[in-house]
Amino acid sequence: MASSMFRFLGRVPTPIFGSAETAANYVWKKASATPRFAGWAAPGVFGVLWFVWPAVDDEFKMSLGFLEDPEADKKAAEAAAEAAKPVELSNEALKAVAVAHIPHGHAPPTEEEKEWSAMAARGDYSHLEKEWEVFAFKAITPGEDDDDDDDDDDDEDEEEEEEEEEDDDE
């Protein structure tokens, strides 16, 4: 099974060599010759870097950590001075901070609300029975005005849009 797969892969066409088998043979022969040139690896790398390193940008060298940023001390001093500077708020901002913990639109409860809260704490919900009856009646037998109001609103919106289009045309 494995030999048939290798035979199949060896017949796969490749550029320059014609087949994968020919390419693999070529690479194997060249790879077997590399130990002879191993002694030249380090001088080759250093020689290439000798020509390439001057062309590398200083910012890239700083990002790799090979060079120190000459403006780093200035940037650090500016950042420290900015952080040490106290924040000054306007009177409006100070007032807003002072009342930020208070919910918007929160009014103290009325006497009636206090009474209802006390009744609810005791488990007495008799003050809501009238509202429950109205809701139950509407839920069981929907009134005529329930759906028609939405339809009327849609019709009014369409009429207003048509009037606006007519005004724009004039």
Side-chain angles (χ1 to χ4, degrees), residues 14-106:
T14 58
I16 300 175
F17 298 103
S19 70
E21 184 178 8
T22 309
N25 286 337
Y26 178 78
V27 169
W28 185 258
K29 292 288 184 189
K30 292 298 178 183
S32 64
T34 54
R36 290 186 299 179
F37 302 107
W40 287 97
V45 169
F46 288 119
V48 168
L49 285 178
W50 186 5
F51 288 106
V52 172
W53 190 251
V56 176
D57 190 14
D58 285 342
E59 276 187 36
F60 183 70
K61 292 176 187 176
M62 284 186 272
S63 70
L64 293 178
F66 291 118
L67 287 179
E68 289 189 25
D69 189 2
E71 297 179 6
D73 294 334
K74 272 198 257 180
K75 290 177 185 176
E78 289 174 4
E82 186 69 30
K85 190 168 43 170
V87 177
E88 296 180 17
L89 298 176
S90 66
N91 289 335
E92 293 173 7
L94 290 172
K95 289 178 185 176
V97 168
V99 296
H101 66 284
I102 301 172
H104 295 290
H106 181 71

Side-chain angles (χ1 to χ4, degrees), residues 128-141 143 146:
L128 298 174
E129 288 178 2
K130 185 182 281 183
E131 293 178 31
W132 291 342
E133 288 176 13
V134 171
F135 176 78
F137 179 74
K138 284 186 175 183
I140 295 171
T141 55
D146 289 343

